[in-house]
Amino acid sequence: CCPQDQRTEPGELLWNDRWDEEDIASLKVDLTPYAFSGQYLQRPSPGEGGILNRTWWQKWPKAKMLPECDFIIQVWDTAYEEREENDYSAMTTWGIFANEERQRDEVILLSRFKDRLGFPALKKKARALYDEYEPDVVLIEPKASGKSLIQELRRGGVPAREWRTERSRATGREVDKTARTHAASIVLYDACVWYVAYNGRGEELQWPLEVIEECAAYPKGAHDDLVDTCTMAWLHLRRGWRLTVDSDPEDEPEDPGKADRRQAAYG
């Protein structure tokens, strides 16, 4: 444990004699408040909430036309059929658009789906949602009924792809869900994520709040199916160099393989 004179109370900076104000400011930029609180303040969550704070979502203005999206992605988290009484299959649809004011691409939540379905009904619903939004990519985690859904959708000409879970460089094991959520949270924290808030009659929509609240409740909520679709979408777009955050380097180093990786991510 710490020497007696180095002990601190929860909420106080650990080893404060090691950090100057510039170091602390830099850490707060590189980490979200949740991660900073747990790593340096001995407090696993900041006062304003959890990993995916509800206040970080950007509400699309009522009087403003929805943005023109130049890329659309649908992301599925599917359930085990033998556990239909407990698990949901969930989907979110996201549009990528250019935010001219911020001079970067950002993402907006366009729709969500969540229900308990057997595989035939799941396949039918996935096809219907694809036809409705015509996404460029349908991303599916290859677990539970996910592998079968990928195969069936591909047979019908749908650009379905497997979500590739990253592995730890240190252990070689798959990164767990909580670590994945932390990695994705920087996109939300940096105000890159918007949601459609009103319908065509100017009435406020309730379904986006379901997504936001489920994300805010993680990891203590009853369900995390929609959470998974959100973090998968954000990380996939980061991998494809489509979403950037303010803490990213302004000038990326020359990388001959970057264009190929971008094409692989979106092709």
Side-chain angles (χ1 to χ4, degrees), residues 89-122:
S89 289
M91 183 280 306
T92 49
T93 305
W94 301 88
I96 313 304
F97 68 96
N99 188 324
E100 300 297 341
E101 293 180 2
R102 297 176 180 173
Q103 297 185 335
R104 67 179 184 183
D105 284 345
E106 295 181 345
V107 63
I108 186 167
L109 175 64
L110 299 173
S111 76
R112 73 89 178 86
F113 170 81
K114 181 177 177 179
D115 201 357
R116 295 184 176 98
L117 298 173
F119 186 74
L122 174 64

Side-chain angles (χ1 to χ4, degrees), residues 41-57:
L41 299 181
Q42 309 180 82
R43 179 184 290 155
S45 64
E48 62 267 22
I51 303 173
L52 302 174
N53 192 303
R54 64 176 60 83
T55 66
W56 297 340
W57 292 78

Side-chain angles (χ1 to χ4, degrees), residues 192-256:
C192 290
V193 183
W194 299 77
Y195 65 97
V196 175
Y198 302 94
N199 63 21
R201 298 183 298 276
E203 300 165 338
E204 189 160 11
L205 298 168
Q206 295 303 307
W207 66 260
L209 305 183
E210 176 191 349
V211 180
I212 292 170
E213 289 305 313
E214 185 174 302
C215 286
Y218 183 84
K220 297 182 179 180
H223 298 283
D224 57 16
D225 315 278
L226 288 168
V227 180
D228 287 341
T229 68
C230 294
T231 58
M232 289 160 58
W234 303 339
L235 289 176
H236 180 76
L237 295 168
R238 287 281 279 165
R239 288 176 186 175
W241 309 88
R242 193 59 186 267
L243 285 180
T244 60
V245 297
D246 287 346
S247 58
D248 289 339
E250 290 187 12
D251 297 317
E252 297 172 4
E254 287 295 325
D255 181 353

Side-chain angles (χ1 to χ4, degrees), residues 94-211:
W94 301 88
I96 313 304
F97 68 96
N99 188 324
E100 300 297 341
E101 293 180 2
R102 297 176 180 173
Q103 297 185 335
R104 67 179 184 183
D105 284 345
E106 295 181 345
V107 63
I108 186 167
L109 175 64
L110 299 173
S111 76
R112 73 89 178 86
F113 170 81
K114 181 177 177 179
D115 201 357
R116 295 184 176 98
L117 298 173
F119 186 74
L122 174 64
K123 174 188 171 183
K124 182 178 181 180
K125 188 65 178 180
R127 179 70 210 205
L129 289 169
Y130 169 77
D131 290 341
E132 181 177 356
Y133 290 94
E134 299 184 341
D136 298 276
V137 172
V138 178
L139 194 65
I140 303 171
E141 189 165 15
K143 67 173 187 179
S145 53
K147 276 198 170 183
S148 297
L149 183 61
I150 292 169
Q151 293 170 355
E152 289 297 319
L153 291 177
R154 283 177 174 173
R155 288 192 181 102
V158 174
R161 300 188 57 191
E162 288 188 7
W163 158 260
R164 299 189 304 276
T165 302
E166 292 185 351
R167 294 183 177 274
S168 167
R169 293 182 181 180
T171 66
R173 298 175 182 172
E174 289 188 352
V175 174
D176 65 31
K177 185 178 297 189
T178 300
R180 181 170 80 187
T181 305
H182 275 290
S185 68
I186 188 63
V187 177
L188 187 64
Y189 175 63
D190 205 57
C192 290
V193 183
W194 299 77
Y195 65 97
V196 175
Y198 302 94
N199 63 21
R201 298 183 298 276
E203 300 165 338
E204 189 160 11
L205 298 168
Q206 295 303 307
W207 66 260
L209 305 183
E210 176 191 349
V211 180

Side-chain angles (χ1 to χ4, degrees), residues 77-80 83-84 86-90 114-117 223 225:
D77 178 74
T78 61
Y80 287 97
R83 294 177 56 198
E84 288 176 10
N86 296 321
D87 291 350
Y88 286 92
S89 289
K114 181 177 177 179
D115 201 357
R116 295 184 176 98
L117 298 173
H223 298 283
D225 315 278

